[in-house]
Amino acid sequence: LYCKLLNQAVLALKGEKEEEDFETVIDFKIDAYIPPSYIRNEVQKLEIYKRISAIEDYEDAMDMQDELIDRFGDIPRPVENLLEIALLKSLAHQAYVTELSGNRQEVRLTMYGKAPVRAEEIPALVKHYVGALKFTASDQPGFTFMDRKKENKDGRQMLEKVKILLNAIKELLV
């Protein structure tokens, strides 16, 4: 608490804004876990889960992927998905998304109420997605993206589309 207060005081003296403090939660219907056959030691598995949850960018994810291959061999699909979800969570947090939930056909993104968004640019973003993206302005503003194509067999394609959408939302930030 002391360190947090000290950091706030230093930022205030510098005239900088304190970063907003909020959690980002991901609930995406996809197999994302470390199978018992991949990492047998439970202590190692917990350490890897902890490190994966700390991924902040693409470089971190690639470093983790390289380490997993070096230590445990080829990465099974659920572990690849876990790395993708960790990267998606980081990207969502950067875009001020507090909750991202969905499946291979539909995704709901709930925005942080105090997100520094240029609201006047939201209609252009929605229009760009030609009916697939809707914005809801309420006490919990957010976006709903529906993929009308039935080609998303395992959710991986949807994860890629959501990454693109999150980058577009980041462009709306002040």
Side-chain angles (χ1 to χ4, degrees), residues 1-13 18:
L1 179 62
Y2 172 75
C3 289
K4 184 177 180 180
L5 291 172
L6 184 62
N7 188 38
Q8 289 173 348
V10 169
L11 289 174
L13 288 172
E18 180 185 357

Side-chain angles (χ1 to χ4, degrees), residues 100-164:
L100 188 153
S101 59
N103 55 43
R104 59 191 177 100
Q105 296 299 324
E106 181 177 324
V107 173
R108 169 86 178 130
L109 297 98
T110 304
M111 300 295 294
Y112 179 59
K114 297 178 184 176
V117 176
R118 291 189 304 272
E120 68 276 4
E121 294 184 24
I122 291 174
L125 176 64
V126 171
K127 186 177 180 181
H128 174 75
Y129 277 86
V130 194
L133 183 67
K134 294 180 181 170
F135 177 73
T136 305
S138 64
D139 58 330
Q140 290 189 318
F143 293 92
T144 303
F145 175 71
M146 292 185 65
D147 190 1
R148 294 188 177 100
K149 298 177 183 174
K150 303 294 181 196
E151 64 196 34
N152 294 336
K153 299 203 180 357
D154 67 354
R156 294 290 295 256
Q157 294 95 342
M158 182 58 104
L159 290 179
E160 291 304 315
K161 291 175 182 179
V162 171
K163 283 183 195 175
I164 292 167

Side-chain angles (χ1 to χ4, degrees), residues 18-91:
E18 180 185 357
E19 279 191 31
E20 296 290 339
D21 189 25
F22 63 93
E23 281 292 313
T24 299
V25 177
I26 305 288
D27 182 16
F28 195 85
K29 306 291 186 250
I30 193 168
D31 288 337
Y33 62 94
I34 300 173
S37 59
Y38 188 61
I39 301 177
R40 297 187 193 287
N41 183 307
E42 291 299 318
V43 174
Q44 283 181 326
K45 189 184 291 188
L46 288 173
E47 178 62 28
I48 296 298
Y49 272 123
K50 183 178 177 184
R51 292 185 49 214
I52 289 174
S53 72
I55 288 175
E56 291 187 3
D57 56 28
Y58 181 77
E59 187 177 316
D60 288 349
M62 291 302 99
D63 289 346
M64 187 78 244
Q65 180 178 336
D66 291 344
E67 181 180 338
L68 288 171
I69 291 170
D70 288 346
R71 291 177 63 188
F72 306 106
D74 291 337
I75 298 176
R77 183 66 150 211
V79 177
E80 286 179 2
N81 293 343
L82 185 61
L83 290 169
E84 287 293 321
I85 292 292
L87 188 57
L88 189 69
K89 182 177 180 179
S90 172
L91 186 58

